[in-house]
Amino acid sequence: MIVNVLAETTGEEIEHIVGIKESELRAHAKGNASRTSIGIVGGERAAQPCTLVSRECKAERTVVEVGDVRIGAEEIVVIAGPCSVESRAQLLTTAHAVKRAGATMLRGGAYKPRTSPYDFQGLGLEALRLLAEAHAETGLPVVTEVLDTEDVDTVAEYADMLQVGARNMQNFALLRRLARTPRPVLLKRGPSATIKEWLLAAEYLLAGGNAQVVLCERGIKSFETEMRNTLDLAAVARVRELSHLPVIVDPSHATGRRSLVPAAAKAALGVGADGLIIEVHPDPDNALSDGPQSLDLAGFARMMQSLHEPLRRIARAADAPARIEDLACLTEYGSMCDLP
Ligand code: PEP
Ligand code: MN
């Protein structure tokens, strides 16, 4: 790294920079009266990306608090609600029903990332107000997607957690902006993102000052067309080896079919997911977005019953608290950090 210093910088100040002993860095100054450059070498290890998200950096698991819900702690967290907020009645009916069935957080899209510009784009601010009302009525903390850096403050005013959608996982301007909000962030995996790219996207948030990050596997693109996406279950287990951040699974977008959601949800808990995010609609056949993958209210209640205590216990037992010395992945971890 070359640091060019201002002409008025004193010799003493230059010596101070050159004298940096931390982070295995070595520095030397070169120049004349009008211009000085300081070359800094070494510290490759300290300069490696993905340090903050890694278990190498932080062995104990991060618990993200969203209101009184703790993601990454003992309890499996279930976030449920409609793909899009469509009306007051639709949202409040769903919010009360998912709460009765055992969900601990509410989801609902206000700004929708639609493939076609002619599809329903979300109710925007009106939806945010409805989400805040649903939160006030049910006590369920709310997560909703933010698409645009310009909307971050407004969304943060109404929602308890901000979602970065799959299509925006590498929107670095948005990530940098979200790093400066006081709200926790739900970071979905991009449809074609590798685990490395996903964790480095999370690194933007941590490096920028927001350590309250939850990862979400929501299926990736593959040759298979029978499902909307391919649920990468091993990625959930792998991310738990590599990172201290909580990771949840979205079986709705991963499968695109409501019939597959309960099975995919169970599988997700089996590989150690810290929670689920599920699309639920009172009338899925008439939903304005993602109807085919949305459970109806009774279907969600049945799924919650089927996930009941035994499975939750199995999921947690399979995920006995990892001790740092047990993490074989740490020796392999070097290679993950050897990014081009
Ligand atoms: C959603 O949660 O409704 C959504 C659009 O998800 P994803 O970004 O994973 O496609
Ligand atoms: Mn959706």
Side-chain angles (χ1 to χ4, degrees):
M1 174 168 61
I2 303 293
V3 178
N4 290 317
V5 298
L6 299 171
E8 58 266 31
T9 309
T10 64
E12 202 181 319
E13 285 167 331
I14 291 171
E15 267 175 39
H16 177 73
I17 299 172
V18 171
I20 293 170
K21 294 282 189 310
E22 286 170 23
S23 315
E24 308 156 10
L25 299 175
R26 289 188 311 280
H28 62 274
K30 237 176 34 182
N32 51 39
S34 61
R35 188 192 149 108
T36 301
S37 296
I38 303 173
I40 301 179
V41 293
E44 284 79 6
R45 198 174 159 72
Q48 289 288 1
C50 67
T51 316
L52 296 174
V53 296
S54 73
R55 295 198 78 174
E56 199 174 35
C57 173
K58 178 172 178 278
E60 68 280 9
R61 304 212 65 83
T62 291
V63 174
V64 173
E65 297 190 4
V66 190
D68 56 4
V69 172
R70 289 160 54 79
I71 307 179
E74 282 303 301
E75 275 292 298
I76 299 288
V77 171
V78 180
I79 307 170
C83 176
S84 301
V85 176
E86 298 171 7
S87 69
R88 188 165 182 275
Q90 173 244 19
L91 183 65
L92 292 180
T93 306
T94 310
H96 284 290
V98 299
K99 183 178 177 179
R100 267 198 309 277
T104 45
M105 275 183 67
L106 178 67
R107 63 150 289 148
Y111 300 93
K112 295 304 301 178
R114 303 308 300 278
T115 301
S116 165
Y118 306 115
D119 286 340
F120 177 62
Q121 302 288 308
L123 297 180
L125 185 59
E126 187 188 339
L128 293 179
R129 293 199 175 113
L130 292 170
L131 285 165
E133 188 180 340
H135 169 78
E137 273 208 16
T138 61
L140 297 175
V142 160
V143 58
T144 194
E145 179 165 354
V146 59
L147 282 179
D148 196 312
T149 49
E150 286 188 5
D151 296 327
V152 168
D153 286 335
T154 311
V155 178
E157 203 180 304
Y158 290 93
D160 303 283
M161 183 181 216
L162 307 189
Q163 176 174 320
V164 176
R167 294 158 187 81
N168 264 325
M169 188 203 82
Q170 283 186 313
N171 179 338
F172 300 116
L174 184 60
L175 295 174
R176 281 201 194 90
R177 181 65 189 77
L178 287 169
R180 292 187 278 112
T181 58
R183 295 286 186 216
V185 174
L186 180 62
L187 179 64
K188 290 194 142 194
R189 181 183 183 183
S192 304
T194 63
I195 291 172
K196 204 183 277 183
E197 288 164 340
W198 185 18
L199 292 178
L200 285 174
E203 185 75 10
Y204 270 83
L205 296 165
L206 272 69
N210 191 344
Q212 296 283 289
V213 177
V214 176
L215 302 164
C216 178
E217 159 63 35
R218 46 76 75 204
I220 53 174
K221 295 268 184 222
S222 79
F223 57 83
E224 181 57 74
T225 54
E226 201 55 33
M227 277 73 67
R228 185 175 179 184
N229 291 290
T230 294
L231 176 54
D232 189 0
L233 285 170
V236 177
R238 183 62 177 147
V239 158
R240 288 179 62 83
E241 288 181 336
L242 294 171
S243 177
H244 51 85
L245 295 175
V247 54
I248 68 169
V249 167
D250 175 345
S252 309
H253 291 87
T255 62
R257 293 176 182 269
R258 86 174 61 100
S259 65
L260 300 180
V261 168
K266 284 175 203 159
L269 298 187
V271 294
D274 293 295
L276 302 165
I277 179 164
I278 314 268
E279 287 188 338
V280 181
H281 194 287
D283 181 12
D285 290 342
N286 289 304
L288 295 182
S289 60
D290 288 349
Q293 68 196 33
S294 299
L295 295 173
D296 64 15
L297 306 183
F300 178 70
R302 275 198 304 278
M303 187 203 75
M304 289 297 278
Q305 293 253 306
S306 77
L307 294 181
H308 230 265
E309 226 20 72
L311 187 65
R312 290 183 195 210
R313 271 209 304 275
I314 291 166
R316 299 331 271 172
D319 184 38
R323 288 175 304 160
I324 186 88
E325 58 272 27
D326 291 339
L327 293 172
C329 66
L330 291 184
T331 46
E332 292 158 37
Y333 193 75
S335 60
M336 174 165 168
C337 278
D338 287 334
L339 297 171

